[in-house]
Amino acid sequence: MATGQLFSRTTQALFYNYKQLPIQRMLDFDFLCGRETPSVAGIINPGSEGFQKLFFGQEEIAIPVHASIEAACAAHPTADVFINFASFRSAAASSMSALKQPTVRVVAIIAEGVPESDTKQLIAYARANNKVVIGPATVGGIQAGAFKIGDTAGTIDNIIHCKLYRPGSVGFVSKSGGMSNELYNTIGRVSDGIYEGIAIGGDVFPGSTLSDHVLRFNNIPQVKMIVVLGELGGRDEYSLVEALKQGKVTKPVVAWVSGTCARLFKSEVQFGHAGAKSGGEMESAQAKNQALKDAGAVVPTSYEALEAAIKETFDKLVEEGKIMPVKEITPPPIPEDLNSAIKSGKVRAPTHIISTISDDRGEEPCYAGVPMSSIVEKGFGVGDVISLLWFKRSLPRYCTQFIEICIMLCADHGPCVSGAHNTIVTARAGKDLVSSLVSGLLTIGPRFGGAIDDAARYFKDAHDRGLTPYEFVENMKKKGIRVPGIGHRIKNRDNKDKRVELLQKFARTHFPSVKYMEYAVQVEAYTLTKANNLVLNVDGAIGSLFLDLLAGSGMFTKQEIDEIVEIGYLNGLFVLARSIGLIGHTFDQKRLKQPLYRHPWEDVLYTK
């Protein structure tokens, strides 16, 4: 492996399996370091394409999302680092696919639990093709002031505290990602900081070893000293011992192997990493520390003494003139995300939407404060749900039953009415369900099904002002307004609408008061003296009875009733009900595989 520097200020990566936080942390690090271009060139989300919006400093940017590794590599040929956030189940396959791409040079595998046999295949392929694998089970790596992988070094505050926004003189490599963060802090306190840091991962077979990276650091002129943090288990550290003995490493090495406490246990102990398990004396922390010391590394007497050993080695290099003091810079402030700023109480921001009818933030959705489980357990029906979502209160059962009856009675009125006709024509044109439904709904208005609100409004106004049916009808006539809720193309005095009769019967049986309905019946009696078809239609029946429901329930103020009528609640009932029928007509036409509709010539009057 050897060679030299892995990353630079122009390095770009492809990020596999979208994770918002680690990508944003990479971009924040880029901005902190003063990079001109983001380090994430593209995102790979198998099966999906598009863009993901993230921040590069104050600016919001769109990062391309690709459906495959091949497509991403073709679109971003200069992105030579592959950061793999796939699960352990697919990490090996996706990593091998990336390694086989000619543009990919480094693959970092974050997942723990990748099968050892798969890892061995990745290692063999990488070595045969002069590529680098970091991990599995790694947090990644970082080149200070240039590039970092995923969550390496943690938060921006920690990165600033560890001086990682600009390069130092120390090359650092460890097995543990968590301990690497600790050592970045330590090295930042007692030296000019990290130049490059790598966590190789805690698995038994890491894609690259401690000695691989130490030898690489030895070839990087900017790295003046090397810090190594190993751990008990395995024999990786002995390859570093051999490299030291053979003189392959010419720079000072400060090393410590963790796990010396293992001897205090009577039986063999498995520490956090898969590879952190001593398989014999040679794999103990004590034996490794002694071997490193004998080979020429600076090895302290304990982990607590590691900081002093690093400081002493660094100070000596400064005295010898091998390290020149780094000029400190002030990194730019990273704009804080709005959500975190709001949570911390630093800012307040206006909301964009107000909702009073439902809430999905808790353990389960709530309708007007009533949990979904309670709605189901209490046996609520569609009428109860409408009462909660439309009226924000739980209405008495007779009210919700009336709502359900209205929906049932208005669900459909045959294929010849305008709404159904439009839906049928649209469905036969091969359009989808939503398009067919909407084409029918768009016909609802003053002339078709949309007169419920107007009927309620005019009946209420006339009743409350004490107008007689004669005065009401004649006043409407003078204004040139047809009485909403009165009149039918088919029904008449001798063939009244059965739906109206059913609604009236239910109301007289269950409603405390039906004063508005009775007024509408009186209006009908007068209009029938003018024409045989000026009967109370279903719009007028629902409009007047809904007024009785609202007034008689005692749960609404006069102002609330007026508002309900004005907003269009009652027409909402017709829209909801008729949607059931229009959907049915759509399915019916598609089930029957009906062809495109063309209106017959003989049904058109062609005239000049």
Side-chain angles (χ1 to χ4, degrees), residues 135-156:
T138 180
V139 72
I142 186 170
Q143 183 174 324
F147 177 84
K148 88 180 186 89
I149 294 171
D151 292 315
T152 301
T155 65
I156 288 296

Side-chain angles (χ1 to χ4, degrees), residues 174-484:
S174 76
K175 289 187 175 181
S176 168
M179 287 304 296
S180 66
N181 279 356
E182 182 68 28
L183 264 293
Y184 293 150
N185 195 317
T186 299
I187 293 169
R189 281 199 307 269
V190 298
S191 72
D192 62 1
I194 291 288
Y195 184 80
E196 185 185 319
I198 297 289
I200 65 170
D203 280 2
V204 177
F205 299 101
S208 51
T209 65
L210 296 173
S211 58
D212 285 337
H213 292 287
V214 169
L215 291 170
R216 193 169 55 76
F217 291 159
N218 196 66
N219 295 335
I220 301 174
Q222 296 92 330
V223 174
K224 305 301 182 182
M225 62 176 286
I226 301 167
V227 176
V228 179
L229 183 64
E231 63 186 23
L232 82 165
R235 301 198 174 191
D236 189 10
E237 288 81 1
Y238 288 105
S239 61
L240 175 56
V241 168
E242 290 305 310
L244 288 167
K245 286 181 178 179
Q246 294 170 16
K248 294 181 179 179
V249 182
T250 57
K251 297 174 181 178
V253 175
V254 179
W256 177 253
V257 179
S258 297
T260 54
C261 65
R263 286 186 175 176
L264 300 176
F265 297 93
K266 294 181 180 180
S267 59
E268 190 174 72
V269 176
Q270 171 73 59
F271 287 82
H273 294 150
K277 180 178 181 180
S278 179
E281 178 59 28
M282 282 281 289
E283 295 185 11
S284 69
Q286 284 85 350
K288 292 181 180 182
N289 279 325
Q290 188 59 52
L292 287 165
K293 185 175 183 179
D294 293 342
V298 177
V299 180
T301 56
S302 65
Y303 176 79
E304 288 74 16
L306 179 60
E307 181 174 332
I310 296 170
K311 184 178 188 307
E312 183 178 339
T313 303
F314 177 80
D315 289 346
K316 184 178 179 181
L317 290 171
V318 172
E319 290 175 9
E320 294 173 353
K322 295 179 179 179
I323 294 179
M324 302 300 293
V326 174
K327 182 180 179 181
E328 282 297 340
I329 60 174
T330 301
I334 300 294
E336 187 172 359
D337 287 342
L338 182 61
N339 288 340
S340 61
I342 291 173
K343 287 181 180 178
S344 63
K346 294 180 180 178
V347 299
R348 57 189 181 190
T351 55
H352 297 90
I353 293 176
I354 301 174
S355 177
T356 64
I357 65 170
S358 62
D359 192 337
D360 60 343
R361 295 172 298 175
E363 294 181 1
E364 58 178 321
C366 292
Y367 293 167
V370 179
M372 188 67 67
S373 58
S374 179
I375 291 171
V376 174
E377 290 165 2
K378 292 181 178 179
F380 281 11
V382 172
D384 298 287
V385 171
I386 291 173
S387 77
L388 293 172
L389 291 177
W390 290 16
F391 303 105
K392 300 200 301 179
R393 64 206 74 188
S394 187
L395 296 175
R397 184 57 186 149
Y398 76 86
C399 295
T400 61
Q401 280 182 303
F402 176 76
I403 292 172
E404 291 170 2
I405 291 172
C406 290
I407 292 172
M408 290 188 287
L409 294 180
C410 295
D412 191 52
H413 201 191
C416 297
V417 296
S418 59
H421 181 81
N422 272 18
T423 289
I424 289 170
V425 171
T426 306
R428 289 178 60 167
K431 300 291 284 187
D432 59 278
L433 171 63
V434 174
S435 299
S436 301
L437 170 62
V438 170
S439 70
L441 291 176
L442 287 174
T443 63
I444 295 175
R447 297 182 180 181
F448 170 63
I452 302 178
D453 282 316
D454 283 342
R457 188 177 300 113
Y458 283 111
F459 284 147
K460 184 177 186 301
D461 177 70
H463 174 277
D464 293 351
R465 288 198 292 137
L467 297 180
T468 65
Y470 169 82
E471 292 172 328
F472 170 51
V473 174
E474 295 305 321
N475 284 343
M476 295 287 282
K477 183 179 179 181
K478 289 178 182 177
K479 296 176 183 177
I481 303 173
R482 293 181 178 182
V483 178

Side-chain angles (χ1 to χ4, degrees), residues 74-129:
H76 310 284
T78 59
D80 58 1
V81 177
F82 183 83
I83 301 172
N84 196 344
F85 266 76
S87 71
F88 70 91
R89 289 177 290 274
S90 60
S94 50
S95 295
M96 182 61 80
S97 178
L99 285 171
K100 290 180 178 179
Q101 303 304 310
T103 56
V104 173
R105 185 174 48 87
V106 179
V107 172
I109 307 171
I110 309 302
E112 297 182 22
V114 177
E116 292 179 359
S117 59
D118 292 340
T119 303
K120 289 179 180 179
Q121 292 179 27
L122 293 171
I123 294 171
Y125 187 90
R127 291 191 182 280
N129 291 274

Side-chain angles (χ1 to χ4, degrees), residues 532-551:
N532 197 38
N533 70 328
L534 293 181
V535 294
L536 182 67
N537 60 35
V538 73
D539 290 351
I542 292 176
S544 59
L545 284 171
F546 227 101
L547 292 173
D548 288 323
L549 182 152
L550 297 171

Side-chain angles (χ1 to χ4, degrees), residues 48-62:
S48 64
E49 296 179 331
F51 292 88
Q52 283 289 350
K53 294 193 302 179
L54 294 124
F55 283 100
F56 186 59
Q58 190 72 38
E59 179 186 1
E60 196 170 22
I61 60 173

